[in-house]
Amino acid sequence: MDATITFTVNGQPRTVTTDPQRRLLDVLREDLQLTGTKYGCGDGYCGACTVLIDGKRERACHLPVTAADKRDILTIEGLCQGDKLHPVQEAFMAENAFQCGYCTPGMIMSTVALLKEKPNPSEAQIREWMNGHLCRCCGYPKILNAVRRAAQARR
Amino acid sequence: MSTRQDKRIVKSQVKSTCDRTAAPNEISRRDFVQMLGAGLLIAVSAPVVSAQRGGRGGGGGRARSISARLHVGIDGTISVMTGKIEQGQGARAEITAAAAEELGVAASRLNLIMGDTSLVPDDGPTVGSMTTPLTIPPVRQAAAAARTLLIGLAAQKWGVDRAALQVSDGKITHAASNRTLTYADLARTEDLPKAFAQAAPADVTVRVVKDWKVLGTPLPRPNGRDLVTGAHRFPSDIIRPGMLYGKVLRAPAYGVKLISVDLAPAKAMKDVVVVQEGSFVGVAARTTLVAERAIEEIAKTAQWETSPQPSSTEIFGYLKRRAQNQPANPFADELAKAAKVLKATYNVAYIQHTPMETRSAVAEWADGKLTVWTGTQNPFGWHSQLVQAFGLATDAVRLLVPDFGGGFGGKSQGEVHVEAARLAKAAGKPVCVKWTRAEEFTWAYFRPAAVIEIEAGLDPKGVLTSWHFVNINAGSPGIETPYRAGRAQSRSVNTNSPLRQGSYRALASTGNNFARECFMDELAAAAGADPLEFRLAHLDNPRIRAVLEAATQRFDWKNRVERKSPTVGVGLACGTEKNSVVAACAEIALDEAGKMTVCRVCEAFECGKILNPVNLMSQVQGCIIMGMGAALREEMRFANGKILNASFGSYEVPRFDDVPELDIQLLDRPDMNAVGGGETPIIAIAPAIANAVYHATGKRVRALPIKVPV
């Protein structure tokens, strides 16, 4: 029996009628064609699927789509204001904080959530917050630089 | 065709290579050339490169005699075409910079088309650090030829001496008469295509290093903006109209064969396409969830025939017992005379590449032709596999490789492209097959496990008199010792690997260098020498000496090694592979439970002239940290052929909290040709850490991953 999910995605009201057991990640990618949110492991170990729900970061890979009902979803595609990059995106560009770039949307979304929660994070807080994210290119040093730069830009 | 029409077509063609909305097979190479007829086409003879390193393919152009390499559009768009792919290693920036340098235009003016078999020349697979030494030169040659021809045409048009012309950012200027022509102006000249469809002269002059304006400067990833906005479509992000999602039935373990399966339950599901061709069983459905359910229904009915398979706990004995033609040490005479003889065996576990993007492919059939988007390091190889698998004409298959999410040697071989094409053919609709993480962990291939046996002798002065080195299973890259050793022999022998195995960043040189560098430390201790002094005393290669001296000076090795502590250790290692050299010093800390933290790493790396320092730094950082994973934790565990840790929860790759203090020196050698830098920086870190563990504990490490001796 399909369920009807009504939610806001990147500021747009959306309605999806689908199997309630489908993962939010699959609905974003397959139904809404928002492919910026990535599948990395399906188990919540890598953070590639990170989105913000009501401003808090969530793993879209193991959330059923029903968990997004009546909520406000922000994906990587919703971060720009027109052509203007979000400061966190700017920071990742400035630090060349990507190699293959597949983990990048999740890293950026998590950084956005971090700076909402802790506008002035310590080095230890940055590492702890980001530790649930994997980058297999192991570009961690430049990603850390980008997070620091983004935090600095807010000050 | 009017100019206006041409312009539109040119733009759409160039965009289409990375745009998911492009219709499949709408352009063949011939079409492309015809469509761009109003532009300028430079064809360049690519050098014939013999297969290297055990048949792993060339890096700079196969035996194709003429290859179109770049195109100047009438709208000013300059397209460069390469069979190389981008997987995060930086080829896009580097090839773009090489072409921009020789054309005399800003890198931002160029559009690099990569890995589209209908448009690009076959530059061989993207493996073995070969893009820099073998693809950059022909790209530069073609671009330099284009620049020379363009200047010549301007000179002819104006009736002036070409020496009086200057080029800047795609504009040719005759200062004396204050006239200018852009490359686009010249491309608009109607008789140009014929005039310029010729091979580039082999003796064309490329810019010397001191004149470089683009190469050698930091060039960020050209499509970086698309990565941070989520706009870039990785292979697994390709969406086609009406596309279905596919799943393939996998065996539960290695050494298992399918006997029978009942497809009826899956066929009874609404809108599910079920395919069985021999042992291939797959499904396609409108959502991933339905496809997963359908394949689970089939899996429940599957009958498998099993055969006994080894387990990871016994793997090293298993490999050694099956080793073929194990050579005996031929230096018995030397050993009999030696003051000291040392012998040790090192084991290296199977590990997985685990790129962030798992294998994926989207396949679409139209009018008997097949288009596949996938992430592969070997576009033309996979293209040929599709041609063969479906009995198609070569030009009936187009394979596109959007920049993809990591390979590390792990996407040279695979079958996901054929899987997607089979399902799409049966479904009559495009199908996307994306492997799960568990599939990737289990059925992609592994870096080979290895058993490495070394025996060496020292004379009374602590000088190496003989060296005998045998690698069982992992292969020969990096096997030759760079140290002077009286008499030396290093050999690789085959055995029967129970798991799929294949290339991994730096191949067997990681294991070979690990064993050699650990054993050199053992020999240094036996000789009563400092590990650095012992190495330098046996090292003639000035480049290795230079990186070793750079890394140890920065690390303050001589003072650090004197400070002994059971909880802090320092170690060093060096090596050479793929014509580049590396040295690393590591400091580790051990807590009371024996848990190890890598605190600081100083690494020095040199790969000739540096082409893109910002990317090279990323590669070296990535190599060190990726190498720490294999050093500290990564190993595939399996029992009776079944993989036991096919998850990031149980197979622990490096994370943010593993990142040590990194002090990296990139040594630039403008006097040398550039070689690749994406592999060799990985080979020194594991032995440096292992030697640091010995420094702290006094106990030797002889296996990867490192288990701290208690």
Side-chain angles (χ1 to χ4, degrees):
Chain A
M1 182 76 172
D2 283 352
T4 296
I5 315 297
T6 305
F7 52 175
T8 305
V9 182
N10 298 333
Q12 303 288 316
R14 306 295 294 256
T15 301
V16 174
T17 298
T18 191
D19 186 319
Q21 291 187 11
R22 289 178 70 206
R23 293 162 291 241
L24 175 60
L25 174 68
D26 291 346
V27 172
L28 288 173
R29 292 175 56 84
E30 296 172 9
D31 299 31
L32 305 183
Q33 306 204 349
L34 292 171
T35 54
T37 307
K38 308 300 184 196
Y39 169 89
C41 69
D43 289 323
Y45 290 115
C46 79
C49 63
T50 301
V51 297
L52 303 195
I53 301 184
D54 296 338
K56 305 241 182 235
R57 65 172 175 176
E58 297 280 359
R59 301 274 202 253
C61 76
H62 60 178
L63 268 191
V65 64
T66 49
D69 193 31
K70 311 238 176 352
R71 299 179 75 183
D72 185 36
I73 316 298
L74 183 66
T75 74
I76 189 72
E77 291 92 342
L79 219 47
C80 291
Q81 298 289 330
D83 278 347
K84 188 168 165 37
L85 294 179
H86 186 280
V88 174
Q89 292 171 314
E90 295 272 15
F92 273 70
M93 288 284 284
E95 294 291 344
N96 298 297
F98 36 75
Q99 292 184 36
C100 81
Y102 192 83
C103 69
T104 307
M107 295 282 184
I108 289 174
M109 296 312 289
S110 211
T111 305
V112 171
L114 168 68
L115 299 181
K116 272 181 199 237
E117 214 158 293
K118 298 185 175 73
N120 196 9
S122 68
E123 182 66 22
Q125 285 172 328
I126 291 174
R127 287 200 184 213
E128 189 187 350
W129 183 271
M130 300 302 290
N131 208 41
H133 287 263
L134 291 178
C135 169
R136 285 298 292 138
C137 302
C138 295
Y140 300 118
K142 289 185 178 176
I143 297 169
L144 287 170
N145 288 347
V147 178
R148 291 179 200 124
R149 176 186 280 260
Q152 192 71 38
R154 285 177 61 105
R155 283 171 204 154
Chain B
M1 264 196 241
S2 74
T3 299
R4 182 177 293 272
Q5 281 171 322
D6 285 349
K7 193 168 179 177
R8 180 180 53 75
I9 290 165
V10 169
K11 277 190 162 172
S12 72
Q13 297 315 318
V14 170
K15 262 188 87 175
S16 69
T17 56
C18 48
D19 185 342
R20 74 201 167 95
T21 59
N25 273 310
E26 71 181 3
I27 25 179
S28 68
R29 170 152 205 93
R30 182 176 300 160
D31 292 339
F32 184 70
V33 173
Q34 284 174 348
M35 303 271 240
L36 298 173
L40 164 65
L41 190 77
I42 302 293
V44 61
S45 294
V48 178
V49 178
S50 60
Q52 298 192 10
R53 300 172 212 275
R56 295 178 62 233
R62 286 282 172 78
R64 294 168 65 114
S65 58
I66 302 287
S67 299
R69 179 65 75 184
L70 67 94
H71 172 262
V72 180
I74 55 176
D75 60 347
T77 308
I78 302 175
S79 299
V80 179
M81 288 157 274
T82 179
K84 292 298 181 188
I85 55 75
E86 175 63 59
Q87 55 186 330
Q89 85 283 27
R92 181 173 287 284
E94 186 174 294
I95 295 171
T96 299
E101 181 67 60
E102 301 301 338
L103 281 166
V105 298
S108 59
R109 291 271 308 276
L110 296 185
N111 174 43
L112 183 66
I113 300 171
M114 305 182 82
D116 179 338
T117 59
S118 291
L119 300 181
V120 303
D122 181 358
D123 289 318
T126 305
V127 297
S129 292
M130 288 195 273
T131 299
T132 299
L134 297 179
T135 303
I136 293 299
V139 168
R140 292 180 65 193
Q141 187 191 7
R147 186 190 66 218
T148 305
L149 291 165
L150 285 158
I151 294 170
L153 284 162
Q156 197 177 20
K157 199 173 166 69
W158 290 328
V160 299
D161 184 357
R162 56 179 301 139
L165 303 185
Q166 288 182 318
V167 182
S168 176
D169 202 20
K171 194 187 286 181
I172 302 168
T173 304
H174 184 238
S177 62
N178 198 23
R179 282 179 292 188
T180 61
L181 273 174
T182 64
Y183 288 176
D185 293 334
L186 290 166
R188 248 178 236 122
T189 313
E190 284 192 4
D191 59 352
L192 281 184
K194 201 179 284 181
F196 287 91
Q198 58 177 284
D203 59 351
V204 65
T205 306
V206 296
R207 281 188 176 162
V208 294
V209 170
K210 69 176 175 57
D211 294 336
W212 284 1
K213 293 184 173 64
V214 186
L215 278 174
T217 67
L219 182 65
R221 177 97 175 242
N223 53 350
R225 187 186 167 96
D226 289 346
L227 298 178
V228 302
T229 60
H232 173 65
R233 300 288 177 168
F234 289 83
S236 55
D237 298 332
I238 301 295
I239 298 175
R240 301 292 307 164
M243 188 175 84
L244 304 180
Y245 295 86
K247 287 283 164 194
V248 175
L249 181 67
R250 305 289 173 201
Y254 277 82
V256 171
K257 280 184 193 156
L258 184 65
I259 301 172
S260 69
V261 73
D262 181 4
L263 304 179
K267 283 184 171 169
M269 293 172 71
K270 188 165 176 282
D271 296 334
V272 172
V273 177
V274 183
V275 180
Q276 180 172 21
E277 292 168 16
S279 60
F280 175 84
V281 179
V283 300
R286 288 169 65 184
T287 67
T288 295
L289 182 68
V290 173
E292 284 170 354
R293 285 177 179 156
I295 209 73
E296 279 164 23
E297 287 300 316
I298 291 173
K300 281 181 203 165
T301 72
Q303 300 291 314
W304 303 97
E305 179 187 302
T306 61
S307 62
Q309 294 291 311
S311 299
S312 44
T313 50
E314 58 184 331
I315 186 61
F316 300 112
Y318 179 96
L319 294 173
K320 182 166 167 53
R321 283 193 300 279
R322 286 162 179 75
Q324 296 144 19
N325 307 317
Q326 278 187 76
N329 189 337
F331 308 131
D333 294 355
E334 299 292 339
L335 293 175
K337 288 185 283 184
K340 283 183 179 163
V341 174
L342 266 66
K343 190 173 184 176
T345 299
Y346 297 84
N347 294 329
V348 179
Y350 288 103
I351 62 171
Q352 227 292 320
H353 314 75
T354 65
M356 287 307 296
E357 185 181 35
T358 55
R359 283 161 160 65
S360 68
V362 170
E364 180 167 334
W365 293 83
D367 304 324
K369 292 185 173 181
L370 172 64
T371 303
V372 172
W373 293 258
T374 190
T376 174
Q377 295 176 238
N378 188 8
F380 285 89
W382 287 28
H383 175 271
S384 298
Q385 289 161 15
L386 289 166
V387 165
Q388 285 180 6
F390 298 98
L392 296 167
T394 302
D395 62 2
V397 176
R398 181 182 181 195
L399 185 129
L400 299 94
V401 186
D403 294 10
F404 59 93
F408 317 113
K411 288 178 181 166
S412 294
Q413 299 145 38
E415 53 271 270
V416 69
H417 52 312
V418 179
E419 291 172 353
R422 281 184 170 186
L423 291 171
K425 192 173 187 187
K429 288 179 180 173
V431 171
C432 168
V433 174
K434 181 171 172 60
W435 283 24
T436 63
R437 181 55 60 187
E439 285 177 296
E440 187 80 19
F441 261 116
T442 308
W443 296 111
Y445 50 92
F446 302 98
R447 187 176 84 177
V451 177
I452 299 170
E453 297 175 335
I454 323 177
E455 189 171 28
L458 293 167
D459 73 9
K461 291 179 179 168
V463 174
L464 265 173
T465 53
S466 72
W467 175 269
H468 188 242
F469 186 108
V470 179
N471 181 317
I472 299 169
N473 191 50
S476 61
I479 202 167
E480 294 299 336
T481 178
Y483 299 106
R484 205 182 324 106
R487 301 174 71 193
Q489 187 182 78
S490 301
R491 285 195 186 169
S492 159
V493 299
N494 294 329
T495 178
N496 295 322
S497 170
L499 302 185
R500 280 183 164 186
Q501 61 182 29
S503 57
Y504 182 109
R505 195 174 206 169
L507 300 176
S509 65
T510 47
N512 285 329
N513 211 58
F514 164 72
R516 180 168 51 243
E517 287 296 295
C518 289
F519 196 62
M520 284 299 286
D521 254 40
E522 300 201 27
L523 288 163
D530 169 73
L532 174 61
E533 297 306 325
F534 183 75
R535 282 173 173 79
L536 290 173
H538 291 89
L539 206 46
D540 296 323
N541 183 324
R543 294 172 67 205
I544 305 179
R545 292 182 70 96
V547 287
L548 191 53
E549 283 161 1
T552 50
Q553 275 173 24
R554 185 69 67 90
F555 190 76
D556 192 19
W557 172 264
K558 282 173 185 161
N559 288 314
R560 300 296 300 279
V561 74
E562 294 297 324
R563 295 208 295 270
K564 287 281 194 177
S565 159
T567 56
V568 178
V570 296
L572 64 79
C574 58
T576 179
E577 171 64 359
K578 311 236 159 61
N579 201 20
S580 62
V581 292
V582 65
C585 298
E587 177 186 319
I588 59 123
L590 299 169
D591 69 10
E592 286 174 359
K595 187 178 181 313
M596 174 170 35
T597 305
V598 179
C599 307
R600 180 164 190 242
V601 175
C602 287
E603 183 160 304
F605 178 65
E606 184 257 290
C607 57
K609 174 59 197 158
I610 297 172
L611 297 184
N612 186 358
V614 66
N615 185 63
L616 184 60
M617 182 57 81
S618 294
Q619 287 299 302
V620 176
Q621 290 173 335
C623 274
I624 293 169
I625 298 170
M626 180 176 246
M628 283 173 54
L632 302 181
R633 294 191 294 266
E634 290 179 40
E635 67 181 313
M636 293 317 304
R637 289 187 284 108
F638 49 98
N640 196 23
K642 183 171 172 54
I643 305 296
L644 302 177
N645 55 341
S647 154
F648 283 133
S650 47
Y651 180 99
E652 295 183 72
V653 297
R655 290 183 179 272
F656 280 96
D657 61 2
D658 291 307
V659 177
E661 182 189 337
L662 288 177
D663 190 341
I664 294 167
Q665 298 172 79
L666 305 177
L667 307 189
D668 196 13
R669 289 290 302 265
D671 57 317
M672 293 178 61
N673 288 330
V675 295
E679 298 189 273
T680 305
I682 203 174
I683 70 172
I685 184 66
I689 295 171
N691 290 336
V693 171
Y694 169 77
H695 183 250
T697 65
K699 290 176 183 166
R700 290 295 176 190
V701 170
R702 296 202 181 100
L704 290 180
I706 295 164
K707 309 271 195 289
V708 176
V710 284

